[in-house]
Amino acid sequence: MEKLRERAAAILADGTVSLVIGYEEGTKRPRPLFCHDGESARKLIFDSRCFHNLAVYLTKKELVGNGRFAVTATISTLRSIMQLYVENQLSEDKLLILTVDLSGTLREFVTFDEISAYVEQFELKRSEREQAILTRIEGMTREERWNFWQEEMSHCFKCYACRSACPLCYCTKCVVEVNRPQWINPWPAPVANMEWHINRAMHMVGRCTACGACGDACPVGIPIDLITRKMMEDMAPEFGYIPGLPVKKGNALSTWKLDDREQFIR
Amino acid sequence: MSEKNTYLPYLMTIDKVTKEAPGVKTFRLKFQDEAEAEAFEFKAGQFGEYSAFGEGESTFCIASSPTRKGYIECTFRDTGRVTSGLSSLEEGSTMGFRGPYGNVFPLDEWKGKNLVFIAGGIALPPMRCVIWNALDLRENFKDITIIYGAKSVNDLVYKSELKEWSERPDVNMVTTVDPGGETSDWKGEIGFVPTIVDKVAPSAENTIAIVCGPPIMIKFTFPVLEKLGFRDDQVYTTLENRMKCGVGKCGRCNVGKLYICKDGPVFSKEELNLIPAEEY
Amino acid sequence: METKYISKSGIEQWFKSIVDSGKRVYAPVNSRDQIEFKRVKNLSEVADEYVQTTQSIKASVYPKAEVLFSYEKEHGKVHLTDFNPDSIPETVLWKVHPCDAAGFKPLSAIFNWDSPDKLHNAHVQKTSVISFSCAMADESCFCTSVNGSPGNLAGSDIQLTMLPDGGAIAEIVTPKGEALVALSPTVFEADKGEDKTKYLVDLPARFSLEEVNAKLNKAFNSTVWKEQSERCIGCGACAFVCPTCACFDIQEDVHGSTGRRIRCWDACGFGLFTLHTSGHNPREHQSQRWRQRLLHKFSYMPARLNVVGCTGCGRCSRACPVDMNILEHITSIAEQ
């Protein structure tokens, strides 16, 4: 961790980057930190408690500006960065990635390929929480599943913390805010909530890397991350993708090949 | 409980539709309920929330003068969901109106003074209300100058009124279009509004300047007026922040400690100095 | 105000008499690992041993989405149907925290500024608040810094302070409270002279409102807003769990020739909140929106409505996905 702080301070001092986005101790858990100088870099921490997906900040121009910047990345953050590269939302010459591997060694990446080679070593596994809830849901009948999600979504008050926390929700105007036509009723109500969450899920299929940030962010405890996660798990093998490992050939649902399997068309 | 529901609009019949410029229309509205028509009063500078039932509400000033009784008028450009919904309504159909809201131009205080109206583009409507109000009480004021500009000849609104004003001997009417916006038979000025204000150079002596236009126009007109000797308490404008309720509750038009909908929309430059310019 | 004693069994009997009176009773319930206000029929459903509900009771007097009026279009004519206050059922809120009850004042101040808000007032009129003073607090709580206290009576019709014997001190604050007592008058016994403050959590004030207000009055152009808000992701969680945040949107619910105009919760933290149709946005950056949130609560509301827009409930700090801690931020401004 000391190495990380030193490196962050050094690249800020020598002008390699103008900003390092990392983690600091928060009031209860670690939280995102924006370092503009060596002084603030001393507050940096990086350990297993750091759960925020900092990739969410990388597409915000008002934060990162036009210069080069660095981010301390967890595996989840790296997966999102890869996906953002695939979607041309980040460029390799603007971003320097710092991380600490399992042996405690400071690692630096720039290119998609470097990140990919590193992330490949980590299988995207369900956490205990994810396993527990998903097993329960997978054991439900279709009707029970619908009822389960209807009940969960009824608690949604449309604060859009899920959208705000998601690195891949970078649209400047979200579909829920489009009013000509008004695709989705924007107020919180049972049907309108379902409309929002189904739309969100559909926009995520083939893109979500299952970081869980949306679920973590939900103030009313809806396990919404599991919808996109489950969809990713179901989708990936069908299209020859490895869950959580974006590839340069593009997103499953926005690319088309002659030999795509079409067994779903009945 | 007989409390009135603030959000319940008056039902209005669209009495007359005038096409002003591309996408810009003026509606003359009459109250469907006679008692409501009778009780309704407003003053120059106030605004309202106009409903297209099925689309929602939009905020515009009342563009007609309070001296013209029996109707109100609004002028708007078809830009969003509500204005496009309104724009599709025909004469005789029903729409909604809530208001009047906000403060007023202090015309009573301006008695005996010269008035200079400076407006750009679609910002003439809030000005039109006070212009007619002043013209209908013409004896109360000294010289009246109107400087109005738009992007092109086609974008000028209230064309017949512009003509009427320019033909009046008691109005000094200056019309301008941005360079490149002129037609071959254009007889008015060519140049941006601030430049023309500088050229016309109205005297600041015993004069009130009322400026209304896009933020960029206001930004460049204020220094010209200052150069001409106008003090901040001689310059007025009307602001249009985004609003939903119009009555100080929804939180959108809060700028510093002020609410555009309640403390405004009319502000003297002196008052504007008290609120952060970046937020309006 | 009258102070009485009510025994454990007395509380049970009284609660039943309230439910039996036909009023809707909402109380904190533990479900889905969250403590939320829900409609209850039995005292056994009510949660105990928790510091704070995730959401405030704001929705009871300011619903998340509410029909302002409805309309029907026919041959170019429009028929309006006004909101009917009689459609609001009598509601009792049970086991409200004092910081939540205190939120009614700022909420009503916003809604009734100059023109009365028929809908909000109808809800308030039909709602009775039975608060429970606080014996517990956590690191996010700071009611004592914003004119409140764990035993604050503001906004409560009755306040209970629980005693070790399972009974409670009952402070009957308003005529609405008296009406609730009248549902089961015999269970309210003579005051035993217990000192209420003995049973309240000790929560020292963390900052002085006057000091914060004075600092904020000069802080508009401070760099503090950008520094504090860089990590803010611009969601509405803080606003929606807040007992006093009242910013709203007005939307249209259309079904063919009929429709309803709906008022729904909105948040000043959202990027599009102040966006003009022209594309101009007076609060373009998150730092401006964060500044608006704090200044509105701690500077603009005191100046315009003579009430602070914060009750120190700490919900925003608990709900924030990125630890935007309001107490930490306000304290740091106070200490500057």
Side-chain angles (χ1 to χ4, degrees):
Chain A
M1 206 144 77
E2 204 41 54
K3 285 249 169 60
L4 177 75
R5 286 177 189 153
E6 281 168 20
R7 181 65 182 144
I11 55 177
L12 283 165
D14 69 15
T16 308
V17 296
S18 54
L19 168 72
V20 177
I21 307 175
Y23 301 95
E24 67 174 338
E25 288 297 345
T27 56
K28 290 180 282 272
R29 306 191 285 183
R31 69 187 180 197
L33 171 71
F34 287 71
C35 306
H36 299 278
D37 51 38
E39 175 70 27
S40 52
R42 273 194 266 163
K43 289 194 258 178
L44 281 171
I45 58 167
F46 193 86
D47 57 38
S48 60
R49 299 170 306 135
C50 299
F51 68 99
H52 288 100
N53 188 337
L54 302 182
V56 72
Y57 298 113
L58 307 184
T59 51
K60 294 188 198 295
K61 267 277 166 287
E62 68 175 85
L63 291 175
V64 299
N66 293 316
R68 194 154 182 242
F69 54 95
V71 62
T72 69
T74 63
I75 298 297
S76 283
T77 308
L78 288 171
R79 293 184 201 279
S80 298
I81 290 173
M82 289 171 70
Q83 183 63 30
L84 288 169
Y85 275 146
V86 168
E87 297 180 12
N88 298 316
Q89 296 302 314
L90 289 174
S91 61
E92 293 178 346
D93 58 342
K94 287 284 171 64
L95 183 60
L96 176 64
I97 296 155
L98 307 173
T99 192
V100 179
D101 69 17
L102 292 175
S103 68
T105 311
L106 178 67
R107 305 279 298 264
E108 291 185 25
F109 309 115
V110 169
T111 67
F112 180 90
D113 294 335
E114 286 167 11
I115 306 169
S116 187
Y118 179 69
V119 172
E120 261 176 9
Q121 308 166 46
F122 302 88
E123 194 193 338
L124 184 61
K125 284 194 286 238
R126 290 178 177 181
S127 70
E128 257 174 59
R129 165 193 162 267
E130 290 162 346
Q131 183 62 37
I133 309 176
L134 281 173
T135 309
R136 210 180 116 209
I137 295 171
E138 283 159 353
M140 291 177 184
T141 64
R142 210 180 157 113
E143 197 189 356
E144 285 167 344
R145 271 208 310 274
W146 178 249
N147 292 340
F148 170 82
W149 285 113
Q150 246 186 342
E151 158 66 15
E152 286 296 323
M153 297 317 180
S154 74
H155 295 270
C156 173
F157 51 21
K158 292 197 171 167
C159 70
Y160 301 119
C162 46
R163 178 181 75 182
S164 304
C166 176
L168 300 176
C169 274
Y170 50 73
C171 293
T172 47
K173 193 170 189 182
C174 174
V175 64
V176 76
E177 277 137 4
V178 174
N179 69 359
R180 296 176 83 184
Q182 186 95 52
W183 297 108
I184 301 171
N185 284 333
W187 56 87
V191 175
N193 287 357
M194 226 17 140
E195 287 170 347
W196 157 242
H197 285 288
I198 290 173
N199 264 280
R200 196 186 83 86
M202 296 314 285
H203 285 191
M204 285 295 148
V205 193
R207 304 175 58 230
C208 173
T209 57
C211 70
C214 53
D216 279 329
C218 181
V220 294
I222 306 172
I224 39 175
D225 53 314
L226 300 184
I227 298 177
T228 46
R229 186 189 177 100
K230 176 74 178 154
M231 292 179 85
M232 177 200 66
E233 289 179 2
D234 287 353
M235 181 282 304
E238 291 292 323
F239 290 85
Y241 287 73
I242 299 166
L245 195 73
V247 282
K248 275 182 172 166
K249 67 180 174 182
N251 300 334
L253 298 194
S254 49
T255 54
W256 180 83
K257 291 198 311 288
L258 274 175
D259 58 349
D260 273 342
R261 293 163 67 195
E262 292 175 339
Q263 77 276 28
F264 62 91
I265 301 173
R266 283 189 263 263
Chain B
M1 234 187 339
S2 61
E3 219 170 77
K4 194 178 165 293
N5 184 352
T6 308
Y7 306 97
L8 195 70
Y10 297 119
L11 292 178
M12 314 292 283
T13 301
I14 302 171
D15 193 45
K16 191 177 155 207
V17 176
T18 312
K19 282 189 186 161
E20 303 286 358
V24 181
K25 283 181 181 173
T26 295
F27 281 2
R28 177 170 292 186
L29 307 174
K30 288 193 167 166
F31 288 84
Q32 292 184 354
D33 184 293
E34 269 179 41
E36 285 172 357
E38 200 63 34
F40 185 79
E41 274 181 5
F42 76 100
K43 286 189 167 163
Q46 292 192 289
F47 68 93
E49 295 291 336
Y50 299 79
S51 290
F53 293 102
E55 307 297 343
E57 283 182 322
S58 200
T59 316
F60 338 111
C61 64
I62 301 174
S64 53
S65 165
T67 50
R68 313 287 170 100
K69 306 280 184 200
Y71 63 87
I72 56 167
E73 287 180 331
C74 63
T75 302
F76 58 91
R77 191 196 296 275
D78 172 1
T79 41
R81 178 178 169 189
V82 178
T83 46
S84 113
L86 286 175
S87 198
S88 69
L89 295 175
E90 291 165 0
E91 284 179 3
S93 49
T94 299
M95 59 179 274
F97 170 79
R98 294 195 283 125
Y101 298 137
N103 70 348
V104 304
F105 286 106
L107 273 170
D108 291 343
E109 292 172 23
W110 297 347
K111 270 187 191 165
K113 291 182 190 292
N114 306 307
L115 302 179
V116 180
F117 298 100
I118 304 164
I122 186 72
L124 187 58
M127 204 75 110
R128 176 195 187 227
C129 168
V130 61
I131 290 175
W132 276 123
N133 199 160
L135 292 178
D136 286 346
L137 305 168
R138 187 66 188 84
E139 67 282 6
N140 285 352
F141 308 99
K142 293 198 163 144
D143 294 349
I144 291 185
T145 305
I146 304 170
I147 302 170
Y148 173 54
K151 220 184 293 171
S152 71
V153 176
N154 212 9
D155 287 304
L156 294 165
V157 298
Y158 305 132
K159 289 192 180 66
S160 67
E161 282 156 275
L162 296 178
K163 187 162 175 283
E164 192 181 335
W165 294 339
S166 65
E167 284 164 6
R168 281 178 73 136
D170 58 352
V171 174
N172 175 23
M173 176 80 212
V174 182
T175 326
T176 182
V177 293
D178 292 354
E182 71 272 20
T183 50
S184 54
D185 60 346
W186 175 245
K187 293 193 179 63
E189 298 281 345
I190 297 169
F192 295 108
V193 170
T195 319
I196 302 303
V197 175
D198 199 18
K199 188 176 162 195
V200 174
S203 158
E205 178 69 30
N206 192 34
T207 305
I208 295 290
I210 303 106
V211 188
C212 194
I216 186 86
M217 187 205 99
I218 296 195
K219 192 181 156 198
F220 287 103
T221 303
F222 278 174
V224 174
L225 290 171
E226 206 178 316
K227 199 184 90 185
L228 293 169
F230 283 83
R231 294 185 319 270
D232 287 352
D233 62 346
Q234 286 176 280
V235 179
Y236 283 77
T237 188
T238 162
L239 298 180
E240 272 191 10
N241 273 42
R242 186 165 182 210
M243 296 174 192
K244 284 283 179 173
C245 72
V247 288
K249 308 180 202 294
C250 78
R252 275 177 183 65
C253 71
N254 180 207
V255 178
K257 284 178 184 163
L258 302 187
Y259 285 75
I260 305 300
C261 67
K262 286 179 65 69
D263 303 300
V266 176
F267 293 93
S268 71
K269 191 158 168 264
E270 196 177 23
E271 292 164 321
L272 278 188
N273 293 339
L274 303 175
I275 58 173
E278 66 175 77
E279 290 206 347
Y280 58 81
Chain C
M1 192 190 73
E2 226 183 336
T3 304
K4 297 273 192 185
Y5 169 82
I6 180 168
S7 68
K8 188 169 190 282
S9 62
I11 294 173
E12 286 159 6
Q13 202 183 319
W14 181 42
F15 183 89
K16 191 173 178 302
S17 71
I18 299 171
V19 173
D20 290 347
S21 75
K23 297 182 202 305
R24 299 186 307 174
V25 179
Y26 282 79
V29 171
N30 192 347
S31 81
R32 308 165 55 253
D33 296 328
Q34 304 251 325
I35 312 282
E36 292 294 7
F37 276 89
K38 278 188 150 183
R39 189 163 179 191
V40 293
K41 297 266 187 205
N42 298 301
L43 198 52
S44 59
E45 297 170 64
V46 179
D48 42 36
E49 294 293 310
Y50 63 92
V51 171
Q52 192 64 284
T53 55
T54 306
Q55 294 186 58
S56 77
I57 52 162
K58 171 169 77 180
S60 63
V61 290
Y62 169 32
K64 288 177 238 180
E66 182 166 37
V67 179
L68 294 167
F69 64 88
S70 50
Y71 56 83
E72 199 173 344
K73 296 196 276 189
E74 203 184 5
H75 309 302
K77 294 281 167 217
V78 173
H79 176 72
L80 300 177
T81 307
D82 196 358
F83 163 81
N84 178 10
D86 297 332
S87 65
I88 309 295
E90 292 273 350
T91 302
V92 174
L93 303 175
W94 177 268
K95 207 171 181 178
V96 169
H97 278 346
C99 53
D100 246 355
F104 276 40
K105 188 180 167 193
L107 264 188
S108 291
I110 293 170
F111 281 118
N112 290 308
W113 191 26
D114 278 11
S115 57
D117 194 288
K118 187 178 184 179
L119 288 86
H120 171 72
N121 293 344
H123 287 288
V124 170
Q125 203 188 24
K126 297 285 180 70
T127 304
S128 306
V129 177
I130 300 171
S131 67
F132 281 45
S133 62
C134 291
M136 285 198 292
D138 69 10
E139 71 284 353
S140 298
C141 292
F142 61 100
C143 61
T144 47
S145 305
V146 285
N147 299 335
S149 79
N152 181 20
L153 295 176
S156 298
D157 295 304
I158 296 183
Q159 184 168 95
L160 300 188
T161 297
M162 298 307 292
L163 299 170
D165 68 357
I169 302 167
E171 292 169 279
I172 302 140
V173 191
T174 67
K176 265 192 206 166
E178 284 163 18
L180 289 174
V181 168
L183 293 172
S184 196
T186 53
V187 302
F188 289 86
E189 304 167 29
D191 178 24
K192 294 192 166 176
E194 282 267 21
D195 177 13
K196 172 184 168 184
T197 55
K198 258 174 45 189
Y199 302 100
L200 302 180
V201 63
D202 181 34
L203 194 69
R206 299 285 300 276
F207 57 84
S208 138
L209 260 185
E210 291 69 32
E211 240 174 77
V212 166
N213 194 274
K215 292 265 167 65
L216 287 178
N217 279 336
K218 288 179 235 149
F220 193 89
N221 293 313
S222 165
T223 53
V224 74
W225 308 116
K226 182 158 189 293
E227 289 156 19
Q228 292 187 346
S229 69
E230 278 182 308
R231 67 174 179 276
C232 173
I233 54 175
C235 71
C238 49
F240 289 4
V241 299
C242 174
T244 76
C245 270
C247 286
F248 59 80
D249 192 5
I250 296 178
Q251 287 284 347
E252 205 89 346
D253 184 21
V254 195
H255 301 272
S257 62
T258 64
R260 309 184 300 167
R261 191 152 293 161
I262 289 182
R263 168 161 77 187
C264 56
W265 289 4
D266 207 338
C268 64
F270 288 144
L272 303 188
F273 185 66
T274 51
L275 179 69
H276 295 199
T277 318
S278 66
H280 172 64
N281 193 347
R283 292 200 282 268
E284 198 181 352
H285 304 297
Q286 203 57 42
S287 55
Q288 296 171 308
R289 305 193 274 270
W290 169 246
R291 171 176 65 195
Q292 173 66 17
R293 178 172 170 74
L294 287 200
L295 287 182
H296 189 253
K297 291 183 172 305
F298 290 94
S299 173
Y300 306 160
M301 283 181 68
R304 300 308 299 269
L305 303 172
N306 203 21
V307 61
V308 182
C310 174
T311 69
C313 73
R315 284 192 180 84
C316 53
S317 305
R318 293 184 201 95
C320 180
V322 292
D323 195 26
M324 294 286 286
N325 188 295
I326 197 168
L327 177 58
E328 180 191 9
H329 284 144
I330 287 286
T331 328
S332 82
I333 290 167
E335 284 162 1
Q336 265 188 353

Coordinates of all heavy atoms in Angstrom, one line a residue, chain C residues 17-55:
Chain C
S17 N -57.0 -0.6 20.3 CA -58.1 0.3 20.1 C -57.9 1.2 19.0 O -58.9 1.6 18.3 CB -58.4 1.0 21.4 OG -57.4 2.0 21.7
I18 N -56.7 1.6 18.7 CA -56.4 2.4 17.5 C -56.7 1.7 16.2 O -57.4 2.2 15.3 CB -55.0 3.0 17.5 CG1 -54.7 3.8 18.8 CG2 -54.7 3.8 16.3 CD1 -53.3 4.2 19.0
V19 N -56.2 0.5 16.1 CA -56.5 -0.4 14.9 C -58.0 -0.6 14.8 O -58.5 -0.4 13.7 CB -55.7 -1.7 15.0 CG1 -56.1 -2.6 13.9 CG2 -54.2 -1.5 15.1
D20 N -58.6 -0.9 15.9 CA -60.1 -1.2 15.9 C -60.9 0.0 15.5 O -62.0 -0.1 15.0 CB -60.6 -1.8 17.2 CG -60.0 -3.2 17.5 OD1 -59.5 -3.8 16.5 OD2 -60.1 -3.6 18.6
S21 N -60.4 1.2 15.7 CA -61.1 2.4 15.3 C -61.2 2.6 13.8 O -61.9 3.5 13.4 CB -60.4 3.6 16.0 OG -59.3 4.0 15.2
G22 N -60.5 1.8 13.1 CA -60.6 1.8 11.6 C -59.5 2.7 11.0 O -59.4 2.8 9.8
K23 N -58.7 3.4 11.8 CA -57.6 4.2 11.3 C -56.6 3.2 10.7 O -56.3 2.2 11.3 CB -57.0 5.1 12.3 CG -58.0 6.1 12.9 CD -57.2 6.9 13.9 CE -58.1 7.7 14.9 NZ -59.1 8.5 14.5
R24 N -55.9 3.7 9.7 CA -54.7 2.9 9.2 C -53.6 3.2 10.1 O -53.3 4.3 10.5 CB -54.3 3.4 7.8 CG -55.4 3.2 6.7 CD -54.8 3.6 5.4 NE -54.2 4.9 5.4 CZ -53.5 5.4 4.4 NH1 -53.3 4.7 3.2 NH2 -52.9 6.6 4.4
V25 N -52.9 2.1 10.5 CA -51.7 2.3 11.4 C -50.5 1.9 10.7 O -50.4 0.8 10.1 CB -51.9 1.5 12.7 CG1 -50.7 1.7 13.6 CG2 -53.2 1.9 13.4
Y26 N -49.5 2.8 10.6 CA -48.2 2.5 10.0 C -47.2 2.5 11.1 O -47.1 3.4 11.9 CB -47.9 3.5 8.9 CG -48.6 3.3 7.6 CD1 -49.9 3.7 7.5 CD2 -48.0 2.6 6.5 CE1 -50.6 3.4 6.3 CE2 -48.7 2.4 5.4 CZ -50.0 2.8 5.2 OH -50.7 2.6 4.1
A27 N -46.3 1.5 11.0 CA -45.3 1.4 12.0 C -44.0 0.7 11.4 O -44.1 0.1 10.3 CB -45.8 0.5 13.2
P28 N -42.9 0.9 12.0 CA -41.6 0.3 11.5 C -41.7 -1.3 11.6 O -42.1 -1.8 12.6 CB -40.5 0.8 12.4 CG -41.1 1.9 13.2 CD -42.6 1.6 13.3
V29 N -41.4 -1.9 10.5 CA -41.5 -3.4 10.4 C -40.2 -3.8 9.8 O -39.6 -3.2 8.9 CB -42.7 -3.8 9.5 CG1 -42.6 -5.3 9.2 CG2 -44.0 -3.4 10.1
N30 N -39.7 -5.0 10.4 CA -38.5 -5.5 9.9 C -38.8 -6.5 8.7 O -39.3 -7.6 9.0 CB -37.7 -6.2 11.0 CG -36.3 -6.6 10.6 OD1 -35.9 -6.5 9.4 ND2 -35.5 -6.9 11.6
S31 N -38.5 -6.1 7.5 CA -38.7 -7.1 6.4 C -37.6 -6.8 5.4 O -37.1 -5.7 5.2 CB -40.1 -6.9 5.8 OG -40.1 -5.8 4.9
R32 N -37.2 -7.9 4.7 CA -36.1 -7.8 3.7 C -34.9 -7.2 4.2 O -34.2 -6.4 3.5 CB -36.6 -7.0 2.4 CG -37.9 -7.4 1.8 CD -38.4 -6.4 0.8 NE -37.5 -6.0 -0.2 CZ -36.8 -4.8 -0.2 NH1 -37.1 -3.9 0.7 NH2 -36.0 -4.5 -1.2
D33 N -34.6 -7.4 5.5 CA -33.4 -6.8 6.1 C -33.4 -5.3 6.2 O -32.4 -4.7 6.2 CB -32.1 -7.3 5.4 CG -31.9 -8.8 5.5 OD1 -32.2 -9.3 6.5 OD2 -31.3 -9.4 4.5
Q34 N -34.6 -4.8 6.1 CA -34.7 -3.3 6.2 C -35.8 -3.0 7.2 O -36.8 -3.8 7.3 CB -35.2 -2.7 4.8 CG -34.3 -3.1 3.7 CD -33.6 -1.9 3.2 OE1 -34.0 -0.8 3.2 NE2 -32.3 -2.1 2.7
I35 N -35.7 -1.9 7.9 CA -36.7 -1.4 8.8 C -37.5 -0.4 8.0 O -37.0 0.7 7.6 CB -36.2 -0.8 10.1 CG1 -35.2 -1.8 10.7 CG2 -37.4 -0.5 11.0 CD1 -35.7 -2.9 11.4
E36 N -38.8 -0.7 7.7 CA -39.6 0.3 6.9 C -40.9 0.5 7.5 O -41.5 -0.5 8.2 CB -39.8 -0.3 5.5 CG -38.5 -0.4 4.6 CD -37.9 0.9 4.3 OE1 -38.4 2.0 4.8 OE2 -37.0 0.9 3.5
F37 N -41.5 1.7 7.3 CA -42.9 1.9 7.8 C -43.8 1.1 6.9 O -43.8 1.2 5.6 CB -43.2 3.4 7.8 CG -42.8 4.0 9.0 CD1 -41.5 4.6 9.1 CD2 -43.6 4.1 10.1 CE1 -41.1 5.2 10.3 CE2 -43.2 4.7 11.3 CZ -41.9 5.3 11.4
K38 N -44.7 0.3 7.5 CA -45.6 -0.5 6.7 C -46.9 -0.5 7.5 O -46.9 -0.3 8.7 CB -45.2 -2.0 6.7 CG -44.2 -2.2 5.6 CD -44.0 -3.7 5.5 CE -43.6 -4.1 4.1 NZ -43.5 -5.6 3.9
R39 N -48.0 -0.8 6.8 CA -49.3 -0.9 7.5 C -49.3 -2.1 8.4 O -48.9 -3.2 8.0 CB -50.4 -1.0 6.5 CG -51.7 -0.8 7.2 CD -52.9 -0.5 6.3 NE -54.1 -0.4 7.1 CZ -55.3 -0.3 6.6 NH1 -55.4 -0.3 5.2 NH2 -56.3 -0.2 7.3
V40 N -49.7 -1.9 9.7 CA -49.7 -3.1 10.6 C -51.1 -3.2 11.3 O -51.8 -2.2 11.3 CB -48.6 -2.9 11.7 CG1 -47.2 -3.0 11.1 CG2 -48.8 -1.6 12.5
K41 N -51.4 -4.4 11.8 CA -52.6 -4.7 12.5 C -52.3 -5.1 13.9 O -53.2 -4.9 14.8 CB -53.4 -5.8 11.8 CG -53.8 -5.5 10.4 CD -55.2 -4.9 10.4 CE -55.7 -4.8 8.9 NZ -56.7 -3.8 8.7
N42 N -51.1 -5.6 14.1 CA -50.8 -6.1 15.5 C -49.5 -5.5 16.0 O -48.5 -5.3 15.2 CB -50.6 -7.6 15.5 CG -51.9 -8.3 15.1 OD1 -53.0 -8.1 15.7 ND2 -51.9 -9.0 14.0
L43 N -49.4 -5.3 17.2 CA -48.2 -4.7 17.8 C -47.0 -5.6 17.6 O -45.9 -5.2 17.6 CB -48.5 -4.5 19.3 CG -47.6 -3.5 20.1 CD1 -47.5 -2.2 19.4 CD2 -48.1 -3.3 21.5
S44 N -47.3 -6.9 17.5 CA -46.2 -7.9 17.4 C -45.4 -7.7 16.1 O -44.3 -8.1 16.0 CB -46.7 -9.3 17.5 OG -47.7 -9.5 16.5
E45 N -46.0 -7.0 15.1 CA -45.4 -6.8 13.8 C -44.3 -5.7 13.9 O -43.5 -5.6 13.0 CB -46.4 -6.4 12.7 CG -47.5 -7.5 12.4 CD -48.5 -6.9 11.5 OE1 -48.2 -6.5 10.4 OE2 -49.7 -6.8 12.0
V46 N -44.5 -4.9 14.9 CA -43.6 -3.7 15.0 C -42.2 -4.1 15.4 O -42.0 -4.8 16.3 CB -44.2 -2.7 16.0 CG1 -43.4 -1.4 16.1 CG2 -45.6 -2.3 15.6
A47 N -41.2 -3.5 14.6 CA -39.8 -3.8 14.9 C -39.4 -3.2 16.2 O -39.8 -2.1 16.6 CB -39.0 -3.3 13.7
D48 N -38.4 -3.8 16.9 CA -37.8 -3.1 17.9 C -36.3 -3.3 17.8 O -35.8 -4.0 16.9 CB -38.3 -3.5 19.3 CG -38.5 -5.0 19.5 OD1 -37.7 -5.8 18.9 OD2 -39.4 -5.4 20.2
E49 N -35.5 -2.6 18.6 CA -34.0 -2.7 18.6 C -33.5 -2.3 17.2 O -33.0 -3.1 16.5 CB -33.6 -4.1 18.9 CG -33.8 -4.6 20.3 CD -33.0 -3.8 21.4 OE1 -31.8 -3.7 21.2 OE2 -33.6 -3.2 22.3
Y50 N -33.6 -1.1 16.8 CA -33.0 -0.6 15.6 C -32.8 0.9 15.9 O -33.4 1.5 16.7 CB -33.9 -0.8 14.4 CG -35.2 0.0 14.5 CD1 -35.3 1.3 14.0 CD2 -36.3 -0.5 15.2 CE1 -36.5 2.0 14.1 CE2 -37.5 0.2 15.3 CZ -37.6 1.5 14.8 OH -38.7 2.2 14.9
V51 N -31.9 1.5 15.1 CA -31.6 2.9 15.3 C -32.5 3.7 14.4 O -33.1 4.7 14.8 CB -30.1 3.2 15.0 CG1 -29.9 4.7 15.0 CG2 -29.2 2.6 16.1
Q52 N -32.6 3.3 13.1 CA -33.3 4.2 12.2 C -34.0 3.4 11.1 O -33.4 2.4 10.7 CB -32.3 5.2 11.6 CG -32.9 6.4 10.8 CD -33.8 7.3 11.7 OE1 -34.9 6.9 12.0 NE2 -33.3 8.4 12.0
T53 N -35.2 3.8 10.7 CA -35.7 3.2 9.5 C -35.0 3.7 8.2 O -34.4 4.8 8.3 CB -37.2 3.6 9.3 OG1 -37.3 5.0 9.3 CG2 -38.1 3.0 10.4
T54 N -34.9 2.9 7.2 CA -34.2 3.4 6.0 C -34.8 4.7 5.4 O -34.2 5.6 5.1 CB -34.2 2.3 4.9 OG1 -33.8 1.1 5.4 CG2 -33.4 2.7 3.7
Q55 N -36.2 4.6 5.3 CA -36.9 5.8 4.8 C -37.6 6.6 5.9 O -37.9 6.0 6.9 CB -37.9 5.4 3.8 CG -37.3 4.8 2.5 CD -38.3 4.5 1.4 OE1 -39.0 5.4 1.0 NE2 -38.5 3.3 1.0

